[in-house]
């Protein structure tokens, strides 16, 4: 479990991004940004953590 730091970082990034987006944007823009964030985190996972 040497990659536990990466998992914690990704989890924290998702939570912080969600809280910021929830306060700032409308529903449509929030959905688009969350999809982009999910794609970026998926890319990070496949490139560095598999």
């Amino acid at each position: 479990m040497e990659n536990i730091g990466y998992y914690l970082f990704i989890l924290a990034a998702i939570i912080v991004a969600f809280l910021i987006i929830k306060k700032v944007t409308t529903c449509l823009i929030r959905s688009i940004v969350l999809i982009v964030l999910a794609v970026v985190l998926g890319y990070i996972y496949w490139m560095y953590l598999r």
Side-chain angles (χ1 to χ4, degrees):
M1 294 300 294
E2 59 193 42
N3 290 329
I4 192 78
Y6 289 110
Y7 293 114
L8 291 175
F9 172 75
I10 290 171
L11 181 62
I14 291 171
I15 293 170
V16 169
F18 178 75
L19 291 175
I20 291 172
I21 292 166
K22 184 178 174 184
K23 290 183 182 292
V24 174
T25 60
T26 63
C27 186
L28 178 62
I29 295 173
R30 184 185 322 151
S31 299
I32 293 170
V33 172
L34 287 175
I35 290 170
V36 170
L37 180 64
V39 169
V40 169
L41 291 176
Y43 174 78
I44 291 171
Y45 174 78
W46 284 110
M47 293 304 294
Y48 298 108
L49 299 177
R50 63 183 169 133

